Amino acid sequence: WVEQYARRALVTQTWELRLDAWPSRAIALPHPPVQSVSGITYVDSSGVTQTWSSTEYAVDIYSVPGLVRLAYGYSWPNIRGDERGIAVTYVTGYGASGTNVPYELRQAVLLRAQMEYDGWNADALGTMRGAADAYERIVCGCFVGAYP
């Protein structure tokens, strides 16, 4: 739930982003924080799948979301235009262990587990409402909005 609503990867994961065409400026990589890009493949104008040289693009792991931009002096490779013909494989998340996840997000996971166990509104007095409010404040504060 926390990953879904905050649009972040908590622990290390490998993702593949598929695109139909190159963007005008940069490829935004969902589910930050991005650790690295493993590789980018594309279907060239002849219909052959190619691996794009990592010297021709730069990865910005510090932006949220992470970005892939052209390296200086390079342009996007020519593609045939196949649907989902570009594949970016990347590693994201705060680390391999839950202890690498920021404290606030770990608290959100615990609050969500408590709410699922006890129920969102455990009693008529609304004692769970405080947990639900805290959960929403944490997750909304870490939310990653729409990508460019």
Side-chain angles (χ1 to χ4, degrees):
W1 284 95
V2 174
E3 287 185 325
Q4 179 181 358
Y5 287 107
R7 294 184 177 177
R8 291 180 176 270
L10 299 185
V11 294
T12 300
Q13 305 167 29
T14 299
W15 284 82
E16 182 180 77
L17 174 66
R18 288 289 190 149
L19 303 168
D20 297 338
W22 298 113
S24 58
R25 297 187 58 187
I27 300 170
L29 301 173
H31 313 289
V34 171
Q35 295 178 21
S36 64
V37 170
S38 306
I40 301 175
T41 61
Y42 62 94
V43 178
D44 70 13
S45 54
S46 300
V48 178
T49 300
Q50 303 287 342
T51 300
W52 195 20
S53 172
S54 61
T55 60
E56 297 182 15
Y57 60 86
V59 180
D60 179 357
I61 63 170
Y62 300 105
S63 292
V64 176
L67 300 170
V68 175
R69 294 188 177 108
L70 291 169
Y72 179 78
Y74 289 95
S75 59
W76 301 111
N78 291 325
I79 58 173
R80 186 166 69 178
D82 291 5
E83 185 174 336
R84 299 172 43 91
I86 301 166
V88 182
T89 305
Y90 62 103
V91 179
T92 186
Y94 291 99
S97 169
T99 59
N100 298 116
V101 176
Y103 175 79
E104 294 82 7
L105 290 170
R106 284 185 280 146
Q107 288 303 111
V109 170
L110 293 172
L111 284 168
R112 180 62 191 217
Q114 177 187 354
M115 290 185 302
E116 291 294 327
Y117 181 77
D118 292 336
W120 282 83
N121 292 302
D123 61 25
L125 298 176
T127 56
M128 283 303 297
R129 190 66 242 161
D133 288 344
Y135 170 79
E136 290 171 11
R137 280 194 305 274
I138 292 169
V139 172
C140 287
C142 297
F143 177 77
V144 178
Y147 304 117

